[in-house]
Amino acid sequence: MEVIVYQHLVDELLDALLPRWKLRKYPYNCKDAIIPQRIIPEEIRRDQYVLACFYFYVCIYMRGGIESLQAFNALIRMWQEHPTMFEPFHAQLMTHGEVQAILKLFIGWDSKEAAKNWIENSKRLVRNWNGNPLNLLKGLRSYDEACNRIRNKTKKREWKIAGQRNEGFRGFQYKMVSMLLY
């Protein structure tokens, strides 16, 4: 993947956006112009590992079909009532029915597929990264390397190139890689 930056366009864009952001002008004055990360409560934020796990599981619902803010709010409520679901060593042992019921109650949307991803991604995180999403970022030197680790591999050729440990996570594509890096 090659990224070309046209600096004059970046400068032009930032020169237009930054003053609007500082003055809370459109689009930053819209009621839905909330950065979801800013609503995460202190009890999740105060521990790096807890926050990393929270973001890891949020990625399961960043595939589309749901507003980010809606997903964040639902998952925050879910974390407050079921924090062990956000602990990979515990979540990997849950049944599909248990996870699906909780996801359906708090989010509703896509609970069947999300439950599969929740359990399988927990297993992969434990198996390959000692159950810690922060380990996914250790030693990274490029975005391509991050994609190699985190993005789901669907073809045998991709698996061979990436290696067993870098099998990625079900449903995780480039957007989720970028979210976890952020």
Side-chain angles (χ1 to χ4, degrees):
M1 173 160 116
E2 182 180 350
V3 177
I4 300 171
V5 176
Y6 296 100
Q7 193 61 49
H8 70 284
L9 294 176
V10 171
D11 292 341
E12 192 177 312
L13 179 65
L14 290 176
D15 286 346
L17 290 178
L18 283 176
R20 289 181 166 278
W21 180 73
K22 287 177 182 174
L23 297 172
R24 298 282 187 239
K25 288 186 174 179
Y26 183 83
Y28 304 104
N29 60 355
C30 297
K31 67 177 179 155
D32 60 345
I34 297 168
I35 299 171
Q37 300 88 305
R38 291 199 176 149
I39 66 164
I40 296 174
E42 181 58 31
E43 66 257 29
I44 294 175
R45 286 190 170 283
R46 82 178 110 216
D47 183 312
Q48 265 190 328
Y49 171 75
V50 171
L51 181 61
C53 286
F54 181 81
Y55 279 135
F56 178 79
Y57 289 108
V58 163
C59 284
I60 291 172
Y61 273 98
M62 294 296 117
R63 297 185 328 271
I66 189 170
E67 291 290 325
S68 295
L69 186 59
Q70 181 184 356
F72 269 77
N73 279 322
L75 288 164
I76 288 167
R77 286 190 306 276
M78 194 170 99
W79 181 88
Q80 289 167 333
E81 289 195 36
H82 301 279
T84 56
M85 270 194 68
F86 293 82
E87 294 174 10
F89 287 96
H90 175 82
Q92 71 172 339
L93 302 174
M94 295 179 74
T95 68
H96 184 269
E98 291 170 326
V99 174
Q100 184 179 1
I102 293 169
L103 293 175
K104 191 172 184 90
L105 178 66
F106 285 88
I107 298 163
W109 179 78
D110 197 31
S111 62
K112 185 176 182 179
E113 190 65 23
K116 282 182 200 173
N117 293 351
W118 201 284
I119 295 166
E120 179 58 29
N121 288 346
S122 298
K123 289 177 181 178
R124 291 180 185 189
L125 189 60
V126 168
R127 178 171 60 237
N128 299 317
W129 301 99
N130 198 29
N132 189 342
L134 295 168
N135 290 340
L136 292 167
L137 308 179
K138 286 184 180 172
L140 281 180
R141 293 179 305 274
S142 71
Y143 181 73
D144 287 337
E145 192 175 342
C147 289
N148 187 51
R149 285 185 189 181
I150 300 168
R151 192 177 64 79
N152 192 36
K153 313 304 179 290
T154 56
K155 298 180 176 104
K156 285 183 183 181
R157 191 174 130 270
E158 289 179 311
W159 275 62
K160 273 187 174 181
I161 293 168
Q164 173 98 24
R165 184 176 191 208
N166 296 320
E167 63 188 309
F169 300 93
R170 267 181 65 103
F172 283 35
Q173 293 302 320
Y174 297 104
K175 178 181 179 181
M176 290 73 169
V177 174
S178 298
M179 283 183 59
L180 288 175
L181 289 175
Y182 171 80

